[in-house]
Amino acid sequence: MLNRTIRLKYNGLTSRELGVHKGVPQGSALGPILWNYAIEDIHKLFKSSPTLELVAYADDLTIISHGNEQPETTQNLLNQIDNFIRSKGLEISAEKSELMHIIGPGTRPKPDDLPSYSIGGRRIDQKDYMKILGVPIDKHMQLRIEDEDTWSKLAKAKKLLRYLRMYNVIDNTKDWKILFEALVKSLLIQNFIPMLAVDPRARIWADKNFLYTMMYTFCFPRFTSHNLLQTMLQVEDTAETVQKQLIAGSTDLNTSPQQRESYITLEEILLHGDLLSHIEKKASL
């Protein structure tokens, strides 16, 4: 970590050595540990406001402000976080930060009625969708099925599977099932388990694209029975896969009580309707 230097090479030219006095080598095992240690105290800022939550993964910070929280309280917290980060010699980029208001079904608030926020005096751009820990979510708390990254990865998987089929690289059902689960199911289902539990529309989307990928791979006509395709590889539909994952999480001895409760709640929503129905049911109790 000491006496580190860097040099830049471009177009056959090399710069002089410059000393590196901040940060850690990218990809180092020590980097994440030092980062977590540096920002550990940031969680203490949320204790004074129980309706504000922090979801953090490395340097990806997501602040959740509930609807009954005053905008001034949220902005004050943002200011405290900004000051805390600056005290560590770091800086939050307002240009790379995003704001999204979660809007319930049937509500159409005017843009001027929605609060805006800023970091370091620079306004945060408002978005209709954003990625939270890699999961694309829109302002109606639904999985954003139009996500470009997901479609790009799915297209690559379909192309690879089609080539494997064309050249007869795989000739047994067991290996095909393993491949589809590794390349397609993980992409369409495993990555989005929480959202698929609360969004019936997304489950239909995942099932449809999984089966369409099978059709494309094996050159089946589009009117081929979906039940036939599922039986062919003995694959579960999205709802079954999600439920099994939630049950596994809720019964895992290493799962914390809070996490276990989240798994159980998600399974209840999956089995008895959607997120809105669940919220309305809780409100009526």
Side-chain angles (χ1 to χ4, degrees), residues 102-120:
I102 304 295
I103 301 171
T107 58
R108 295 180 178 273
K110 297 179 180 178
D112 293 341
D113 294 337
L114 298 173
S116 61
Y117 299 99
S118 61
I119 293 177

Side-chain angles (χ1 to χ4, degrees), residues 105-173:
T107 58
R108 295 180 178 273
K110 297 179 180 178
D112 293 341
D113 294 337
L114 298 173
S116 61
Y117 299 99
S118 61
I119 293 177
R122 303 199 66 168
R123 186 169 177 170
I124 303 173
D125 288 339
Q126 183 174 320
K127 303 290 184 179
D128 290 334
Y129 66 89
M130 64 191 304
K131 287 191 175 184
I132 299 179
L133 300 181
V135 180
I137 301 173
D138 68 20
K139 64 182 180 181
H140 299 298
M141 201 57 186
Q142 295 178 321
L143 184 68
R144 186 175 184 268
I145 58 180
E146 303 88 356
D147 180 58
E148 294 82 3
D149 288 343
T150 302
W151 283 112
S152 175
K153 292 176 182 176
L154 181 60
K156 291 179 181 178
K158 288 170 66 176
K159 187 175 181 181
L160 174 60
L161 290 167
R162 185 70 171 266
Y163 281 147
L164 292 175
R165 177 70 181 92
M166 287 171 57
Y167 295 107
N168 295 318
V169 176
I170 298 173
D171 60 0
N172 65 84
T173 303

